[in-house]
mmCIF file of all heavy atoms in Angstrom:
data_model
loop_
_atom_site.group_PDB
_atom_site.id
_atom_site.type_symbol
_atom_site.label_atom_id
_atom_site.label_comp_id
_atom_site.label_asym_id
_atom_site.label_seq_id
_atom_site.Cartn_x
_atom_site.Cartn_y
_atom_site.Cartn_z
ATOM 1 N N GLY B 270 -14.961 -0.667 2.484
ATOM 2 C CA GLY B 270 -13.844 -1.537 2.852
ATOM 3 C C GLY B 270 -12.566 -0.756 3.088
ATOM 4 O O GLY B 270 -11.826 -1.020 4.053
ATOM 5 N N GLU B 271 -12.296 0.227 2.233
ATOM 6 C CA GLU B 271 -11.086 1.039 2.382
ATOM 7 C C GLU B 271 -11.122 1.845 3.679
ATOM 8 O O GLU B 271 -10.129 1.924 4.410
ATOM 9 C CB GLU B 271 -10.943 1.980 1.184
ATOM 10 C CG GLU B 271 -10.636 1.298 -0.130
ATOM 11 C CD GLU B 271 -9.144 1.107 -0.345
ATOM 12 O OE1 GLU B 271 -8.382 1.256 0.617
ATOM 13 O OE2 GLU B 271 -8.770 0.790 -1.472
ATOM 14 N N ILE B 272 -12.265 2.455 3.953
ATOM 15 C CA ILE B 272 -12.382 3.248 5.186
ATOM 16 C C ILE B 272 -12.285 2.341 6.413
ATOM 17 O O ILE B 272 -11.659 2.696 7.427
ATOM 18 C CB ILE B 272 -13.707 4.038 5.170
ATOM 19 C CG1 ILE B 272 -13.646 5.120 4.085
ATOM 20 C CG2 ILE B 272 -13.989 4.671 6.526
ATOM 21 C CD1 ILE B 272 -14.941 5.854 3.869
ATOM 22 N N GLY B 273 -12.873 1.149 6.316
ATOM 23 C CA GLY B 273 -12.756 0.202 7.424
ATOM 24 C C GLY B 273 -11.315 -0.220 7.659
ATOM 25 O O GLY B 273 -10.860 -0.315 8.811
ATOM 26 N N LEU B 274 -10.567 -0.471 6.577
ATOM 27 C CA LEU B 274 -9.157 -0.840 6.714
ATOM 28 C C LEU B 274 -8.346 0.310 7.314
ATOM 29 O O LEU B 274 -7.468 0.094 8.158
ATOM 30 C CB LEU B 274 -8.580 -1.218 5.349
ATOM 31 C CG LEU B 274 -8.925 -2.610 4.822
ATOM 32 C CD1 LEU B 274 -8.406 -2.784 3.403
ATOM 33 C CD2 LEU B 274 -8.325 -3.673 5.731
ATOM 34 N N ALA B 275 -8.654 1.543 6.868
ATOM 35 C CA ALA B 275 -7.947 2.698 7.432
ATOM 36 C C ALA B 275 -8.242 2.818 8.930
ATOM 37 O O ALA B 275 -7.334 3.109 9.729
ATOM 38 C CB ALA B 275 -8.364 3.969 6.694
ATOM 39 N N GLY B 276 -9.498 2.602 9.302
ATOM 40 C CA GLY B 276 -9.818 2.627 10.729
ATOM 41 C C GLY B 276 -9.098 1.531 11.497
ATOM 42 O O GLY B 276 -8.621 1.749 12.620
ATOM 43 N N LEU B 277 -8.983 0.344 10.873
ATOM 44 C CA LEU B 277 -8.267 -0.758 11.524
ATOM 45 C C LEU B 277 -6.787 -0.422 11.706
ATOM 46 O O LEU B 277 -6.192 -0.740 12.741
ATOM 47 C CB LEU B 277 -8.423 -2.033 10.690
ATOM 48 C CG LEU B 277 -7.735 -3.291 11.223
ATOM 49 C CD1 LEU B 277 -8.256 -3.649 12.619
ATOM 50 C CD2 LEU B 277 -7.947 -4.465 10.265
ATOM 51 N N ILE B 278 -6.193 0.229 10.702
ATOM 52 C CA ILE B 278 -4.794 0.655 10.830
ATOM 53 C C ILE B 278 -4.648 1.642 11.988
ATOM 54 O O ILE B 278 -3.689 1.577 12.772
ATOM 55 C CB ILE B 278 -4.300 1.283 9.509
ATOM 56 C CG1 ILE B 278 -4.262 0.224 8.407
ATOM 57 C CG2 ILE B 278 -2.923 1.912 9.683
ATOM 58 C CD1 ILE B 278 -3.970 0.796 7.028
ATOM 59 N N GLY B 279 -5.623 2.558 12.092
ATOM 60 C CA GLY B 279 -5.584 3.500 13.209
ATOM 61 C C GLY B 279 -5.691 2.801 14.555
ATOM 62 O O GLY B 279 -5.021 3.184 15.524
ATOM 63 N N VAL B 280 -6.522 1.759 14.616
ATOM 64 C CA VAL B 280 -6.647 0.996 15.866
ATOM 65 C C VAL B 280 -5.338 0.291 16.196
ATOM 66 O O VAL B 280 -4.866 0.313 17.346
ATOM 67 C CB VAL B 280 -7.794 -0.024 15.744
ATOM 68 C CG1 VAL B 280 -7.814 -0.960 16.948
ATOM 69 C CG2 VAL B 280 -9.133 0.693 15.614
ATOM 70 N N VAL B 281 -4.726 -0.338 15.170
ATOM 71 C CA VAL B 281 -3.448 -1.029 15.391
ATOM 72 C C VAL B 281 -2.394 -0.049 15.898
ATOM 73 O O VAL B 281 -1.644 -0.337 16.842
ATOM 74 C CB VAL B 281 -2.983 -1.707 14.080
ATOM 75 C CG1 VAL B 281 -1.547 -2.210 14.212
ATOM 76 C CG2 VAL B 281 -3.904 -2.861 13.723
ATOM 77 N N GLU B 282 -2.323 1.133 15.273
ATOM 78 C CA GLU B 282 -1.303 2.108 15.658
ATOM 79 C C GLU B 282 -1.585 2.727 17.029
ATOM 80 O O GLU B 282 -0.680 3.277 17.649
ATOM 81 C CB GLU B 282 -1.206 3.194 14.592
ATOM 82 C CG GLU B 282 -0.728 2.646 13.251
ATOM 83 C CD GLU B 282 -0.327 3.736 12.284
ATOM 84 O OE1 GLU B 282 -0.560 4.920 12.594
ATOM 85 O OE2 GLU B 282 0.220 3.393 11.229
ATOM 86 N N SER B 283 -2.838 2.643 17.465
ATOM 87 C CA SER B 283 -3.178 3.196 18.782
ATOM 88 C C SER B 283 -2.954 2.188 19.904
ATOM 89 O O SER B 283 -2.790 2.585 21.063
ATOM 90 C CB SER B 283 -4.644 3.653 18.800
ATOM 91 O OG SER B 283 -4.879 4.641 17.832
ATOM 92 N N MET B 284 -2.961 0.905 19.569
ATOM 93 C CA MET B 284 -2.953 -0.121 20.608
ATOM 94 C C MET B 284 -1.634 -0.880 20.719
ATOM 95 O O MET B 284 -1.474 -1.691 21.631
ATOM 96 C CB MET B 284 -4.091 -1.119 20.363
ATOM 97 C CG MET B 284 -5.465 -0.477 20.362
ATOM 98 S SD MET B 284 -6.810 -1.654 20.281
ATOM 99 C CE MET B 284 -6.664 -2.457 21.869
ATOM 100 N N MET B 285 -0.723 -0.663 19.788
ATOM 101 C CA MET B 285 0.555 -1.372 19.896
ATOM 102 C C MET B 285 1.697 -0.447 19.501
ATOM 103 O O MET B 285 1.504 0.540 18.793
ATOM 104 C CB MET B 285 0.567 -2.637 19.033
ATOM 105 C CG MET B 285 0.530 -2.414 17.550
ATOM 106 S SD MET B 285 0.531 -4.006 16.642
ATOM 107 C CE MET B 285 2.078 -4.742 17.208
ATOM 108 N N ALA B 286 2.882 -0.789 20.015
ATOM 109 C CA ALA B 286 4.055 0.029 19.743
ATOM 110 C C ALA B 286 4.764 -0.474 18.485
ATOM 111 O O ALA B 286 4.492 -1.568 17.991
ATOM 112 C CB ALA B 286 5.011 -0.019 20.935
ATOM 113 N N ARG B 287 5.646 0.346 18.006
ATOM 114 C CA ARG B 287 6.448 -0.049 16.855
ATOM 115 C C ARG B 287 7.413 -1.155 17.262
ATOM 116 O O ARG B 287 7.969 -1.131 18.365
ATOM 117 C CB ARG B 287 7.228 1.176 16.356
ATOM 118 C CG ARG B 287 8.047 0.949 15.120
ATOM 119 C CD ARG B 287 8.845 2.200 14.823
ATOM 120 N NE ARG B 287 9.618 2.045 13.638
ATOM 121 C CZ ARG B 287 10.762 1.381 13.557
ATOM 122 N NH1 ARG B 287 11.229 0.808 14.640
ATOM 123 N NH2 ARG B 287 11.413 1.277 12.434
ATOM 124 N N LEU B 288 7.597 -2.134 16.375
ATOM 125 C CA LEU B 288 8.523 -3.218 16.668
ATOM 126 C C LEU B 288 9.965 -2.736 16.608
ATOM 127 O O LEU B 288 10.297 -1.810 15.870
ATOM 128 C CB LEU B 288 8.345 -4.351 15.651
ATOM 129 C CG LEU B 288 7.025 -5.128 15.684
ATOM 130 C CD1 LEU B 288 6.985 -6.098 14.509
ATOM 131 C CD2 LEU B 288 6.877 -5.888 16.988
ATOM 132 N N ARG B 289 10.813 -3.381 17.412
ATOM 133 C CA ARG B 289 12.239 -3.129 17.266
ATOM 134 C C ARG B 289 12.668 -3.579 15.872
ATOM 135 O O ARG B 289 12.117 -4.522 15.301
ATOM 136 C CB ARG B 289 13.021 -3.896 18.331
ATOM 137 C CG ARG B 289 12.813 -3.384 19.733
ATOM 138 C CD ARG B 289 13.314 -4.375 20.756
ATOM 139 N NE ARG B 289 14.688 -4.790 20.517
ATOM 140 C CZ ARG B 289 15.282 -5.788 21.167
ATOM 141 N NH1 ARG B 289 14.606 -6.459 22.078
ATOM 142 N NH2 ARG B 289 16.518 -6.100 20.912
ATOM 143 N N LEU B 290 13.684 -2.921 15.327
ATOM 144 C CA LEU B 290 14.114 -3.251 13.961
ATOM 145 C C LEU B 290 14.472 -4.724 13.820
ATOM 146 O O LEU B 290 14.228 -5.341 12.781
ATOM 147 C CB LEU B 290 15.310 -2.383 13.569
ATOM 148 C CG LEU B 290 14.992 -0.940 13.169
ATOM 149 C CD1 LEU B 290 16.273 -0.188 12.864
ATOM 150 C CD2 LEU B 290 14.065 -0.899 11.974
ATOM 151 N N SER B 291 15.057 -5.286 14.874
ATOM 152 C CA SER B 291 15.451 -6.696 14.800
ATOM 153 C C SER B 291 14.245 -7.630 14.774
ATOM 154 O O SER B 291 14.370 -8.799 14.400
ATOM 155 C CB SER B 291 16.350 -7.046 15.990
ATOM 156 O OG SER B 291 15.666 -6.793 17.212
ATOM 157 N N ARG B 292 13.052 -7.121 15.187
ATOM 158 C CA ARG B 292 11.848 -7.940 15.206
ATOM 159 C C ARG B 292 11.059 -7.847 13.891
ATOM 160 O O ARG B 292 10.197 -8.686 13.632
ATOM 161 C CB ARG B 292 10.933 -7.508 16.349
ATOM 162 C CG ARG B 292 11.554 -7.678 17.728
ATOM 163 C CD ARG B 292 11.622 -9.122 18.133
ATOM 164 N NE ARG B 292 12.082 -9.279 19.518
ATOM 165 C CZ ARG B 292 12.323 -10.454 20.088
ATOM 166 N NH1 ARG B 292 12.126 -11.560 19.394
ATOM 167 N NH2 ARG B 292 12.741 -10.507 21.327
#
Side-chain angles (χ1 to χ4, degrees):
E271 292 272 14
I272 292 173
L274 282 174
L277 180 59
I278 294 172
V280 172
V281 170
E282 296 193 352
S283 300
M284 300 187 68
M285 67 181 301
R287 183 185 181 282
L288 293 174
R289 291 166 53 190
L290 282 178
S291 59
R292 298 287 186 185

